[in-house]
């Protein structure tokens, strides 16, 4: 199916062009201004009162939202109006027009107006110009408190002015194609002192807001032109860490960062990121541009190798960034730092502290948490679970274990995988991941990025970094991922008041076995995050949707449940008081969700409703385009699979369903202006696509020897399934030859060591490790390999192992490069393995640990199979490992070349 979808909604381009936000057939925009820059934007206009402007500034004194607002202070004599105006481009007057601004003043009387241009009615005083007229909106009534002023019913207001103009001009006045070109505030509050604070302006739809923007202003695109976002604070004294709270200008701050490589900064800012990660090689103009765009910055300072002292060049790098006002904190090391590197981080911290004693330090830590917390307060952890056998539930456990290791009082953050790791691109595509682009769709799936993000937040992370922006570029087929991350940033910003005060999470089950929910108590309510964590989601998520999903949430009485999205806020109607809390039922669940329990009188609900009202049009645009883009990608791979003969009985029907939902979403947006339902309908369009992708993957891994998901290196992603089927056809043509791995049966006498087999024991934990050949129920013969890790104090075993690894490595067998081999072993795990998310592992040197078979147990003797190509080195070995508390057995380990080619491609022996 090659149906073309008309592009009528937002365009969100990746590398090569800045993001732009358009909507509707005429290319309309949502104009949003958060007044987060350095210069005021409202322009002094007409007045009939003598007045003196004492202050006109951008201030951080009590903004409505974000970090800043615009402030006026003036003293006036008798009169009726003092106008200040703000250009908005061209906002057509119609029933869908929305214009509002938040105002706080020391006295009532401030009024919102709008100047309407009548392009078909000449101005009698200057015939070369169109006639303009003012229409009047709401008046400020709450002295000393923030109040939104709306331009309610602009069509009705214009008709009233049309009647007055007809009487004044003595003829019918043509108001066709009328549009608003500027908002006006009458700030006159009477004789004497008047103070006015202005924040959060919004006008929609607007046809050319960008051209109308004041040129003198350094804007925050995440609040001005797209979606409001907490603005970047400026000045090193404005950032501090209080306990597990990162504070910016005295307000808790949740950073949504991305590591910058080459996607335009404008695109990243408009996608909702509020923090940018820079390394030492970043050119000064990029740093300057980031500051102007309103980013907070995190300089990544390179860690000197070994025991080397920081160099003068490194000191200059630190000095360069220390002089920047927009630095949020310092990154003293990435990539998962080991305990042995902690002293080097300490020396680097001393160097940075000598130039900047106020900002906190962060580091990405793998182990040695106790030592690192002496110098690092922002503890980062990360690993890449996608395209590996680490199930998302196990990844959740790993994050929870890192939080326990980082106690007490941790500020925990993590990187979210947005890319293919280098080992994968080298293995599958024979190129480094950050090299040239790809001429075919590549992963990860946008759904996987969403699941990882919600997992991180649900595991208590107080900030998120998205690893690589290059995989969001068009060269890496990243448009759907970038759009998904723009939606995610909307959701994170919406939930930020809860996320920054959330307690340690508690996980609960739901009525659906694949849906789990994180429950977190917050200062102003309870946050419940249900998410799809079904088996194999790290490869290809399933439908990830269900109806009538219920769960018992341990929440006290006195609060109501609301389902919150960027498009709307819906009361959860199916609520029942039961033992242990409230049983709630969500009529429609898709991939992830957010339910908030709150007292409706504390203002949090009003905040969500206001924010959703502001976001919904943009959210609907992003949702539509993300689904449209993913449909095209899925269709491309699906057609390749059909060409290979791998057809699904309902494949065409699923694509038709997705297209129908997209058409419905477009109609809801363009014709009915029902942005909330358009958003949800676009989300529904993704469900048949997920069913199709999962069905293809399940068919490709149906055979028993392929069921691990990693048996073929091409079977770990939907996008590589065409390669997988070609590889499987090659495997099936081959015949396994003789086993070339010696002593894989573990049948040597007890006192005799097998030649070239190596044991490896690593631990920093309070455990004992042992590896031996035993006669305890072997699978074949009389002996098998037993690996065991036990706590030294059985009465108090560790809840999480920081670094413990027990492994047996086979000798390398030599084979012709490119030879296809079958690698097998029998594995038994009598009881569940604890204190680790990885359990027992079996893997080969060609694909490495990421494509290991992981077994958490319990399981009886089970055969595992891997098919691999011998690398260019001509050698291949296998590893049996244990990482958690418990016991694992291995037996009958084999490496068998598949003999289907010329003689030189066959095994030459061990």
């Amino acid at each position: 199916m090659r149906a073309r979808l008309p592009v009528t909604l937002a365009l969100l381009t990746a590398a090569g062009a800045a993001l732009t936000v358009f909507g509707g057939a005429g290319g309309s925009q949502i104009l949003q201004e958060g007044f987060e820059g350095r210069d005021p934007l409202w322009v002094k206009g007409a007045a009939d009162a003598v007045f003196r402007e004492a202050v006109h500034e951008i201030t951080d004194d009590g903004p409505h939202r974000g970090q800043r607002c615009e402030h006026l202070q003036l003293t006036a004599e008798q009169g009726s109006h003092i106008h200040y105006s703000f250009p908005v481009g061209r906002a057509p007057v119609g029933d869908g027009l929305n214009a509002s601004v938040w105002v706080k003043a020391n006295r009532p009387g401030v009024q919102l107006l709008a100047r309407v241009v009548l392009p078909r009615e000449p101005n009698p005083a200057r015939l070369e110009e169109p006639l303009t007229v003012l229409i009047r909106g709401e008046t400020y009534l709450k002295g000393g408190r923030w109040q939104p002023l709306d331009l309610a019913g602009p069509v009705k207001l214009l008709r009233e002015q049309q009647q007055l103009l007809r009487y004044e001009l003595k003829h019918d006045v043509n108001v066709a194609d009328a549009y608003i070109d500027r908002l006006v505030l009458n700030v006159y509050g009477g004789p004497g002192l008047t103070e006015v604070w202005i924040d959060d302006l919004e006008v929609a739809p607007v046809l050319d807001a960008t051209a109308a923007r004041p040129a003198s202003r350094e804007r925050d695109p995440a609040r001005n032109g797209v979606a409001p976002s907490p603005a970047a604070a400026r000045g090193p004294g404005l950032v501090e860490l209080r306990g597990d709270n990162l504070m910016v200008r005295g307000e808790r701050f949740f950073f949504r960062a991305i590591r910058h490589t080459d996607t335009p900064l404008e695109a990243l800012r408009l996608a909702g990121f509020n923090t940018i990660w820079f390394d030492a090689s970043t050119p000064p103009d990029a740093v300057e541009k980031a500051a102007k765009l309103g980013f907070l910055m995190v300089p990544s300072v390179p860690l000197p190798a070994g025991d080397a002292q920081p160099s003068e060049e490194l000191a200059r790098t630190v000095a360069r960034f220390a002089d920047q006002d927009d630095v949020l904190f310092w990154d003293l090391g990435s990539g998962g730092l080991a305990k042995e590197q902690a002293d080097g981080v300490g020396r680097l911290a001393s160097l940075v502290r000598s130039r900047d004693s106020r900002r906190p330090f962060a580091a990405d830590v793998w182990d040695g948490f106790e030592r690192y917390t002496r110098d690092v307060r922002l503890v980062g952890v990360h690993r890449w679970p996608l395209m590996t056998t680490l199930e998302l539930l196990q990844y959740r456990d790993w994050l929870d274990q890192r939080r326990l290791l980082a106690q007490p009082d941790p500020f925990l953050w993590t990187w979210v995988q947005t890319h293919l790791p280098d080992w994968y691109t080298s293995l599958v595509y024979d190129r480094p991941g950050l090299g040239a682009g790809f001429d075919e769709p590549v992963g990860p799936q946008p759904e996987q990025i969403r699941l990882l993000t919600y997992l991180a937040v649900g595991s208590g992370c107080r900030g998120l970094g998205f690893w690589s922006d290059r995989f969001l570029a068009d060269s890496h087929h990243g448009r759907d991922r970038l759009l998904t991350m723009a939606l995610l940033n909307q959701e994170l910003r919406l939930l930020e008041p809860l996320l920054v005060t959330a307690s340690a999470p508690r996980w609960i089950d739901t009525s659906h076995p694949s849906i789990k929910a994180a429950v977190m108590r917050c200062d102003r309510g309870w946050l419940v995050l249900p998410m799809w964590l079904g088996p194999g989601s790290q490869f290809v998520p399933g439908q990830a949707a269900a109806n009538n999903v219920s769960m018992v949430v341990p929440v006290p009485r006195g609060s109501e449940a609301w389902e919150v999205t960027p498009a709307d806020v819906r009361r959860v109607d199916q609520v029942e008081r039961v033992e242990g809390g409230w049983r709630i039922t969500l009529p429609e669940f898709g991939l992830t969700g957010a339910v908030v329990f709150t007292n409706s009188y504390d203002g949090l609900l009003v905040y969500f409703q206001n924010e959703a009202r502001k976001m919904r049009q943009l959210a609907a645009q992003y949702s539509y385009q993300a689904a449209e883009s993913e449909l095209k990608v899925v269709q491309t791979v699906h057609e390749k699979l059909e060409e290979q003969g791998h057809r699904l009985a309902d494949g065409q029907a699923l694509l038709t369903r997705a297209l129908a939902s997209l058409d419905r979403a477009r109609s809801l947006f363009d014709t009915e202006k029902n942005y909330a339902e358009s958003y949800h309908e676009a989300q529904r369009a993704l469900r048949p696509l997920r069913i199709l992708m999962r069905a293809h993957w399940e068919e490709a891994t149906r055979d028993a020897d392929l069921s691990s998901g990693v048996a073929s290196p091409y079977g770990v992603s939907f996008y590589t399934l065409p390669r997988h089927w070609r590889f499987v056809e090659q495997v099936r043509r081959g015949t396994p030859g003789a086993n070339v791995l010696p002593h894989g049966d573990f049948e040597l006498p007890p006192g005799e060591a097998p030649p070239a087999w190596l044991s490896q024991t690593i631990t920093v934990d309070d455990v004992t490790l042992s590896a031996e050949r035993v006669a305890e129920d072997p699978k074949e013969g009389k002996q098998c390999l037993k690996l065991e890790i036990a706590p030294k104090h059985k009465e108090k075993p560790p809840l999480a192992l920081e670094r413990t690894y027990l492994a047996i490595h086979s000798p390398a067998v030599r084979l012709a490069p490119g030879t296809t081999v079958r690698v097998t072993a029998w594995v038994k795990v009598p009881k569940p393995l604890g204190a680790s998310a990885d359990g027992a592992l079996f893997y080969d040197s060609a694909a490495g640990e990421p494509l290991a078979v992981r077994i958490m147990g319990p399981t009886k003797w089970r055969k595992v199979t891997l098919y691999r190509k011998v690398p260019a080195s001509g050698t291949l070995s296998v590893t049996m490992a244990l990482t958690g508390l418990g016991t694992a057995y291995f037996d009958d380990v084999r490496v068998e070349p598949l003999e289907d080619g010329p003689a030189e491609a066959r095994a030459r022996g061990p």
Side-chain angles (χ1 to χ4, degrees):
M1 184 180 73
R2 290 188 178 275
R4 292 192 61 189
L5 298 181
V7 179
T8 61
L9 300 180
L11 298 175
L12 188 57
T13 61
L19 271 73
T20 53
V21 184
F22 300 99
S28 60
Q29 297 177 317
I30 304 172
L31 171 62
Q32 294 174 320
E33 175 59 63
F35 304 99
E36 299 290 348
R38 299 174 181 176
D39 303 319
L41 296 183
W42 288 85
V43 179
K44 190 185 306 182
D48 67 352
V50 177
F51 73 99
R52 182 177 65 86
E53 181 185 87
V55 175
H56 191 186
E57 63 179 358
I58 296 293
T59 178
D60 59 359
D61 180 17
H64 170 248
R65 189 170 52 82
Q67 308 299 327
R68 299 179 181 184
C69 61
E70 190 155 332
H71 175 221
L72 279 167
Q73 184 185 93
L74 51 90
T75 304
E77 298 179 10
Q78 192 65 42
S80 65
H81 68 270
I82 300 173
H83 288 174
Y84 281 77
S85 67
F86 184 95
V88 299
R90 295 173 62 243
V93 177
D95 291 331
L97 176 62
N98 169 61
S100 64
V101 65
W102 283 80
V103 170
K104 181 176 72 172
N106 67 331
R107 58 203 299 186
V110 176
Q111 186 177 27
L112 175 65
L113 305 94
R115 189 174 83 166
V116 179
V117 179
L118 307 178
R120 298 183 182 274
E121 183 68 33
N123 184 347
R126 300 187 65 178
L127 295 177
E128 70 276 10
E129 296 178 355
L131 184 64
T132 62
V133 63
L134 289 176
I135 57 176
R136 299 178 181 275
E138 293 180 336
T139 300
Y140 179 76
L141 302 174
K142 300 178 179 181
R145 297 172 58 189
W146 284 102
Q147 174 188 335
L149 300 184
D150 291 319
L151 197 67
V155 174
K156 179 182 177 182
L157 294 174
L158 180 56
R159 288 198 188 109
E160 293 172 353
Q161 288 298 318
Q162 183 184 27
Q163 296 296 326
L164 294 173
L165 287 170
R166 181 183 293 125
Y167 176 80
E168 179 183 339
L169 299 177
K170 310 300 184 185
H171 68 263
D172 288 334
V173 175
N174 190 347
V175 296
D177 300 326
Y179 63 88
I180 291 172
D181 72 338
R182 62 183 58 237
L183 294 186
V184 179
L185 278 178
N186 181 4
V187 299
Y188 182 74
L193 176 67
T194 298
E195 280 197 275
V196 182
W197 291 263
I198 310 165
D199 206 354
D200 290 329
L201 175 147
E202 179 180 315
V203 183
V206 177
L207 297 182
D208 53 359
T210 304
R213 287 250 174 232
S216 62
R217 165 72 148 76
E218 293 173 355
R219 303 193 311 275
D220 174 358
R223 298 192 70 195
N224 309 334
V226 190
S229 168
R234 299 181 184 275
L238 303 177
V239 179
E240 60 179 321
L241 192 64
R242 298 180 191 168
D244 61 348
N245 289 305
L246 183 63
M247 313 294 292
V248 175
R249 290 186 174 271
E251 298 290 333
R252 294 182 176 97
F253 184 74
F254 190 98
F255 67 83
R256 307 184 302 275
I258 189 162
R259 184 182 295 276
H260 180 54
T261 50
D262 56 4
T263 298
L265 287 167
E266 295 89 345
L268 300 176
R269 196 67 176 102
L270 288 171
F273 297 102
N274 59 19
T275 305
I276 191 79
W277 225 269
F278 283 143
D279 59 28
S281 64
T282 302
D285 59 341
V287 176
E288 181 180 355
K289 176 181 281 189
K292 288 183 177 181
L293 290 171
F295 276 112
L296 287 174
M297 290 177 277
V298 176
S300 186
V301 185
L303 181 66
D307 295 330
Q309 295 295 320
S311 64
E312 292 185 6
E313 181 180 355
L314 183 58
R316 286 192 295 270
T317 298
V318 171
R320 169 191 165 202
F321 281 105
D323 294 336
Q324 294 290 330
D325 289 337
D326 303 272
V327 170
L328 180 61
F329 55 81
W330 295 89
D331 173 24
L332 302 186
S334 297
L337 298 173
K339 181 179 181 180
E340 293 78 7
Q341 297 171 282
D343 289 340
V345 170
R347 291 191 293 270
L348 186 58
S350 297
L351 169 67
V352 178
R353 193 177 293 114
S354 68
R355 295 302 306 259
D356 183 356
S357 61
R358 297 188 180 186
R359 295 186 181 95
F361 299 142
D364 179 13
V365 178
W366 184 261
D367 56 34
F369 288 90
E370 182 179 357
R371 171 62 184 86
Y372 276 105
T373 52
R374 300 177 197 173
D375 300 298
V376 174
R377 295 286 305 282
L378 304 173
V379 180
V381 298
H382 91 271
R383 67 182 301 179
W384 308 138
L386 302 182
M387 282 77 79
T388 77
T389 47
L390 187 72
E391 295 281 356
L392 294 190
L393 274 174
Q394 293 170 248
Y395 175 62
R396 177 202 65 180
D397 294 342
W398 185 85
L399 287 172
D400 286 342
Q401 290 164 4
R402 301 310 103 177
R403 180 168 47 82
L404 292 173
L405 291 169
Q407 296 283 5
D409 195 25
F411 181 103
L412 194 72
W413 61 274
T414 190
W415 291 105
V416 174
Q417 183 177 357
T418 60
H419 68 300
L420 300 179
D422 285 349
W423 66 263
Y424 185 79
T425 58
S426 297
L427 181 68
V428 174
Y429 299 101
D430 195 26
R431 71 182 74 176
L434 291 181
F438 293 84
D439 56 5
E440 60 185 282
V442 297
Q445 291 177 224
E447 290 89 346
Q448 292 173 318
I449 297 174
R450 168 170 290 276
L451 290 173
L452 294 185
T453 300
Y454 269 70
L455 266 172
V457 172
S459 298
C461 290
R462 292 300 182 91
L464 296 178
F466 294 86
W467 184 257
S468 169
D469 71 18
R470 184 164 295 177
F471 271 85
L472 307 180
D474 290 336
S475 61
H476 291 60
H477 298 268
R479 187 169 179 268
D480 52 356
R481 294 191 289 275
L482 181 58
L483 285 157
T484 295
M485 292 167 71
L487 274 171
L488 282 168
N489 281 328
Q490 280 193 322
E491 294 163 38
L492 292 172
R493 188 177 63 76
L494 182 66
L495 298 173
E496 185 169 358
L498 298 176
L499 297 178
V500 293
T501 65
S503 63
R506 172 181 175 182
W507 288 87
I508 62 173
D509 293 329
T510 72
S511 59
H512 195 293
S514 292
I515 302 173
K516 310 296 180 183
V519 181
M520 295 174 282
R521 183 174 184 174
C522 311
D523 283 359
R524 299 176 63 186
W526 293 75
L527 177 61
V528 183
L529 300 176
M531 60 196 83
W532 181 278
L533 300 178
S537 294
Q538 79 279 20
F539 299 133
V540 182
Q543 177 179 351
N547 294 328
N548 298 317
V549 176
S550 63
M551 64 200 79
V552 176
V553 183
V555 172
R557 297 177 183 271
S559 56
E560 298 176 301
W562 299 85
E563 195 168 4
V564 178
T565 75
D568 56 11
V569 180
R570 300 180 178 181
R571 184 195 300 273
V572 180
D573 293 325
Q574 300 183 53
V575 180
E576 177 188 4
R577 187 68 187 176
V578 297
E579 183 179 354
W582 293 98
R583 176 181 286 115
I584 63 172
T585 301
L586 305 180
E588 184 180 18
F589 172 84
L591 203 63
T592 61
V595 177
V596 176
F597 283 82
T598 184
N599 185 323
S600 60
Y601 301 105
D602 74 351
L604 186 61
L605 179 59
V606 174
Y607 160 80
F608 285 135
Q609 291 170 334
N610 286 337
E611 291 302 297
R613 178 178 59 83
K614 295 175 182 178
M615 289 182 179
R616 63 171 53 112
Q617 184 174 357
L618 190 64
Q621 292 175 334
Y622 285 167
S623 184
Y624 176 91
Q625 287 200 288
E628 179 191 45
S629 182
E630 187 164 353
L631 172 60
K632 293 177 181 177
V633 171
V634 172
Q635 186 174 320
T636 297
V637 180
H638 172 73
E639 289 174 352
K640 287 184 179 180
L641 292 169
E642 285 199 327
E643 289 170 2
Q644 292 179 326
H646 304 291
R647 309 180 70 88
L648 298 177
D650 57 349
Q652 185 61 43
L654 290 169
L655 289 173
T656 301
R657 279 174 51 193
L659 185 59
S661 286
L662 272 178
D663 289 342
R664 173 65 175 153
R666 188 179 65 245
S667 175
L668 286 164
F669 190 100
D670 285 341
T671 305
E672 302 180 32
K673 309 300 182 185
N674 188 341
Y675 303 126
E677 192 55 34
S678 173
Y679 165 88
H680 291 293
E681 194 62 38
Q683 292 294 305
R684 295 182 190 110
L686 294 171
R687 296 174 191 174
L689 298 183
R690 291 197 292 266
I691 294 172
L692 184 145
M693 288 188 281
R694 180 75 177 198
H696 270 301
W697 180 76
E698 289 178 347
E699 181 65 26
T701 58
R702 186 178 304 278
D703 290 356
D705 59 348
L706 299 174
S707 61
S708 67
V710 294
S712 155
Y714 310 102
V716 298
S717 169
F718 169 72
Y719 303 105
T720 53
L721 289 184
R723 293 171 180 257
H724 168 81
W725 279 115
R726 290 195 294 269
F727 182 66
V728 168
E729 290 170 4
Q730 179 182 352
V731 165
R732 287 174 175 169
R733 288 195 302 267
T735 302
N739 175 29
V740 296
L741 181 67
H743 306 301
D745 55 6
F746 306 106
E747 295 297 327
L748 287 175
E752 186 177 341
W757 285 73
L758 301 176
S759 64
Q760 183 181 14
T761 58
I762 301 173
T763 186
V764 296
D765 301 294
D766 205 15
V767 295
T768 59
L769 300 85
S770 65
E772 56 182 335
R773 297 193 303 276
V774 297
E776 301 174 7
D777 184 31
K779 173 60 183 173
E780 301 287 345
K782 298 180 179 180
Q783 293 185 123
C784 60
L785 173 66
K786 177 182 179 181
L787 302 181
E788 186 172 49
I789 299 175
K792 289 182 179 179
H793 308 286
K794 294 184 179 181
E795 68 282 359
K796 192 177 180 181
L799 297 175
L801 297 182
E802 193 163 2
R803 190 207 308 178
T804 294
Y805 179 76
L806 172 62
I808 298 295
H809 304 287
S810 81
V813 297
R814 302 194 65 82
L815 298 163
T819 301
T820 305
V821 297
R822 182 175 71 176
V823 183
T824 60
W826 287 86
V827 186
K828 179 177 72 170
V829 178
K831 297 180 180 180
L833 302 173
S836 165
D838 291 277
L841 298 91
F842 176 73
Y843 60 95
D844 64 282
S845 59
E849 175 271 333
L851 292 190
V853 175
R854 286 172 170 79
I855 300 175
M856 296 300 297
T859 179
K860 297 180 180 180
W861 282 111
R862 165 189 164 189
K863 187 177 183 180
V864 295
T865 303
L866 305 173
Y867 291 99
R868 299 291 186 256
K869 291 279 191 180
V870 175
S873 64
T875 61
L876 184 138
S877 61
V878 296
T879 296
M880 294 133 284
L882 182 62
T883 65
L885 296 177
T887 305
Y889 297 88
F890 296 84
D891 202 0
D892 197 19
V893 182
R894 296 169 174 265
V895 176
E896 300 165 320
L898 298 184
E899 300 179 348
D900 181 28
E904 60 269 23
R906 299 182 180 179
R908 295 199 297 268

